[in-house]
Amino acid sequence: MQTFQLYEHASTIPVTPYNAEDWQKGYESVKQEVDYWIDDIEGEIPQNLNGTLFRNGPGLLDINGQRIHHPFDGDGMIAKISFKDGRAHFSNRFVRTKGYQEEQAAGRILYRGVFGTQKPGGWLANAFDLRQKNIANTNVIYWGDKLLALWEAAEPYRLDPHTLETLGLEYLDGLLEPGDAFAAHPRIDGETERLVNFSIKPGLSSTITIYEFEPSGKLLTKHAHAVPGFAFIHDFAITPNYCIFFQNPVTFNPLPFVLGWRGAAECIKFNPNRPTQVIIIPRNPKQPMQLLQTEAGFVFHHANAFEQGDKIYLDSICYDSLPAVEAESDYRQTNFEALSPGQLWRFEIDLIAKTVQRQNLESRCCEFPWVNPKKVGQPYQYLYLGAAHAPQGNAPLQAILKLDLTSGTREVWSAAPKGYVSEPVFVPHPEGMNEDDGWLLTLVYDSAHHRSDLAILDARDLNRAPVARLHLKHHVPYGLHGSFTPDCFEPLRSQD
Ligand code: CO
């Protein structure tokens, strides 16, 4: 058996624990679709880890050699790892969206991307083309007996959970109309297992619609709220009684987009002199919305929220400003040191005094927060995040960070200098008693071998070596979000 290379001790890590060329290789397209039992494994897969991990993210960073401008514009590819009785099976499939099929057939870029991808031919070829390509690349959830690939600006795509075959657009029993949005960050209430999600229609005044479903998939409530101003909202948080949104201080000038000069997201401008608006919408539609204010900043992801008396506590990853999507720049040349890192802040929202106070909980660069699913919306102790290897500065995510929010202690498992991590998905141990009884599953891009590993970490103690490290036969480009279901979707036919 090979030895683990964990570089746990700072002395073994170079001053800059990553290398730009190594990092860039993780953004190579994957063209092949494969199915196989994973047989190159360090350690052992726990016998009681049963179920399926689904991951979503851009699989193609180019269309037949024509580079896309930003990874967020990349076609969604689902990677699936199913676990049963100590074995694991990998497969991946692109979501057969309308745009994916058309572009693959044509062998060239036919659609503009929200994050700046343009059709070849300069601005004249792009002007007044406001069509949107639903790339289904942001998240994937198995819920209500449906596997759904999500992209926040359009309808979900439904897939077969065994084969990952695309079944078509999903309208949730007629709840969604053609062209409706459905956000990529649904929250499943840790207590009631109800799913809460939202959609947003941005404009001079923006409309937020909340959907709440029974665990069976039946719609419970749907209510819409107008909020003043343009709203660019990727994620939200829930508590037993509230949905909480941050309306970041940004403005949108559509002209360069309409004229074909810029992608829509490149027309969003951060305004550091305006406050962030905190939007609190009660889950009971009969109660009124509240709008409060806090410091300027930009949030993509909230970690969790909970209530205590008349206060809501909300933990979020905040940036000093919106990391800009530049028209002329190459995302692979990102100068990490020049950007402000995402950091974890706790917001104390007083619903009576109508004040918001914030406190920094973690200054290490971090993203992709996860908690034990039973703690969503509840007071909680442990938070897991992707993090930079170094405690200061901005850098690619190479480590997994566990924070004990009660004691203030932290543990770090690092894959530096050659490894780059993805979101840590927490899987509860089936007989677990404590909040951290479980595993963290994270795909690690191993630049030394140009392949990805699935690392299984014992969430109780990140100082231990991984329980197992499953070497895939290829790499999986840096992904966005995913989820785990205890349902095991093994391949229907044995293929080993
Ligand atoms: Co997200």
Side-chain angles (χ1 to χ4, degrees):
M1 184 192 283
Q2 293 166 275
T3 53
F4 291 107
Q5 295 197 344
L6 295 178
Y7 302 97
E8 281 165 316
H9 304 291
S11 60
T12 63
I13 306 281
V15 177
T16 302
Y18 66 94
N19 169 299
E21 280 172 24
D22 286 349
W23 172 75
Q24 286 166 9
K25 288 190 293 182
Y27 275 126
E28 243 170 56
S29 295
V30 155
K31 312 251 161 155
Q32 74 273 28
E33 297 183 316
V34 294
D35 276 88
Y36 58 92
W37 289 96
I38 302 170
D39 54 15
D40 188 359
I41 297 171
E42 289 179 66
E44 270 183 43
I45 300 171
Q47 290 287 330
N48 42 16
L49 171 58
N50 290 307
T52 311
L53 173 72
F54 293 104
R55 302 279 315 148
N56 199 351
L60 288 183
L61 288 307
D62 70 281
I63 308 292
N64 206 19
Q66 291 177 350
R67 280 198 24 232
I68 60 167
H69 187 68
H70 193 280
F72 292 174
D73 284 341
D75 287 301
M77 184 190 83
I78 309 297
K80 167 188 149 201
I81 300 180
S82 49
F83 299 90
K84 194 167 189 199
D85 304 329
R87 298 185 76 200
H89 181 274
F90 179 91
S91 61
N92 71 311
R93 292 286 182 277
F94 283 92
V95 186
R96 262 55 179 183
T97 64
K98 179 172 170 281
Y100 172 86
Q101 291 179 310
E102 290 171 352
E103 290 187 329
Q104 290 304 305
R108 61 192 167 91
I109 294 175
L110 300 175
Y111 287 88
R112 305 175 71 189
V114 172
F115 287 86
T117 300
Q118 301 278 43
K119 295 182 288 182
W123 68 271
L124 266 175
N126 290 278
F128 306 108
D129 181 356
L130 309 184
R131 294 173 309 155
Q132 189 168 261
K133 180 184 171 194
N134 178 352
I135 47 179
N137 73 353
T138 312
N139 202 349
V140 53
I141 58 163
Y142 181 73
W143 191 81
D145 295 330
K146 289 174 181 172
L147 184 66
L148 302 175
L150 303 174
W151 183 64
E152 66 196 27
E155 312 92 322
Y157 269 90
R158 186 173 173 187
L159 311 168
D160 180 305
H162 288 280
T163 63
L164 300 180
E165 179 197 346
T166 302
L167 302 175
L169 287 169
E170 171 65 34
Y171 292 98
L172 301 171
D173 299 328
L175 180 63
L176 301 179
E177 304 270 328
D180 270 358
F182 195 66
H185 278 286
R187 297 278 177 180
I188 297 172
D189 187 312
E191 210 171 43
T192 63
E193 296 192 2
R194 289 178 180 166
L195 182 142
V196 188
N197 200 11
F198 69 98
S199 69
I200 188 139
K201 208 179 239 175
L204 293 174
S205 160
S206 302
T207 304
I208 299 175
T209 305
I210 311 267
Y211 307 87
E212 182 157 342
F213 301 86
E214 294 276 21
S216 63
K218 181 173 161 273
L219 181 73
L220 206 63
T221 54
K222 176 184 174 187
H223 40 115
H225 304 261
V227 293
F230 175 75
F232 176 39
I233 299 175
H234 175 68
D235 190 13
F236 75 138
I238 61 167
T239 66
N241 292 297
Y242 300 99
C243 299
I244 308 112
F245 298 84
F246 271 17
Q247 187 180 6
N248 301 294
V250 295
T251 49
F252 179 64
N253 170 12
L255 209 58
F257 169 61
V258 173
L259 295 178
W261 302 340
R262 298 275 186 274
E266 294 170 313
C267 302
I268 293 174
K269 195 163 167 276
F270 182 77
N271 187 339
N273 302 316
R274 276 184 27 215
T276 292
Q277 186 134 256
V278 182
I279 302 166
I280 301 149
I281 300 178
R283 285 168 64 178
N284 176 350
K286 296 196 176 101
Q287 291 175 2
M289 171 175 81
Q290 283 201 47
L291 298 176
L292 303 177
Q293 293 187 343
T294 185
E295 282 88 347
F298 196 88
V299 171
F300 283 109
H301 296 124
H302 300 286
N304 200 13
F306 58 93
E307 296 171 26
Q308 255 170 19
D310 294 320
K311 290 179 177 166
I312 298 171
Y313 291 87
L314 170 66
D315 297 338
S316 312
I317 313 296
C318 302
Y319 297 82
D320 286 348
S321 67
L322 171 67
V325 183
E326 305 276 354
E328 312 305 334
S329 71
D330 179 346
Y331 67 88
R332 296 171 304 174
Q333 305 298 333
T334 298
N335 179 4
F336 283 93
E337 287 84 3
L339 299 171
S340 66
Q343 296 176 323
L344 180 70
W345 291 76
R346 172 160 288 184
F347 294 84
E348 183 187 296
I349 302 166
D350 188 324
L351 296 171
I352 303 297
K354 304 198 183 304
T355 55
V356 182
Q357 293 185 337
R358 66 174 193 169
Q359 177 198 355
N360 184 261
L361 293 186
E362 175 59 63
S363 57
R364 184 189 290 254
C365 165
C366 57
E367 250 301 352
F368 295 130
W370 260 81
V371 301
N372 183 320
K374 288 198 178 65
K375 294 292 175 182
V376 172
Q378 301 292 323
Y380 71 116
Q381 185 172 2
Y382 298 111
L383 178 60
Y384 311 95
L385 306 117
H389 173 80
Q392 277 107 34
N394 188 44
L397 305 179
Q398 293 186 282
I400 302 296
L401 172 65
K402 175 188 181 185
L403 291 177
D404 180 335
L405 300 168
T406 306
S407 69
T409 55
R410 56 176 65 72
E411 292 169 6
V412 177
W413 173 77
S414 177
K418 291 293 181 184
Y420 297 85
V421 304
S422 62
E423 177 186 68
V425 174
F426 180 89
V427 179
H429 190 288
E431 284 111 43
M433 303 292 287
N434 298 317
E435 187 183 322
D436 59 349
D437 280 341
W439 301 279
L440 296 173
L441 306 185
T442 181
L443 273 175
V444 182
Y445 171 62
D446 171 3
S447 61
H449 298 93
H450 190 46
R451 71 179 179 202
S452 295
D453 291 349
L454 183 84
I456 304 175
L457 307 176
D458 185 337
R460 292 172 303 180
D461 185 0
L462 296 195
N463 293 317
R464 286 191 209 164
V467 178
R469 207 160 162 157
L470 286 55
H471 302 305
L472 304 183
K473 297 180 192 294
H474 46 80
H475 81 294
V476 176
Y478 300 122
L480 293 167
H481 301 290
S483 55
F484 184 87
T485 169
D487 299 275
C488 181
F489 294 109
E490 302 171 89
L492 293 173
R493 284 176 295 122
S494 180
Q495 298 180 26
D496 50 344

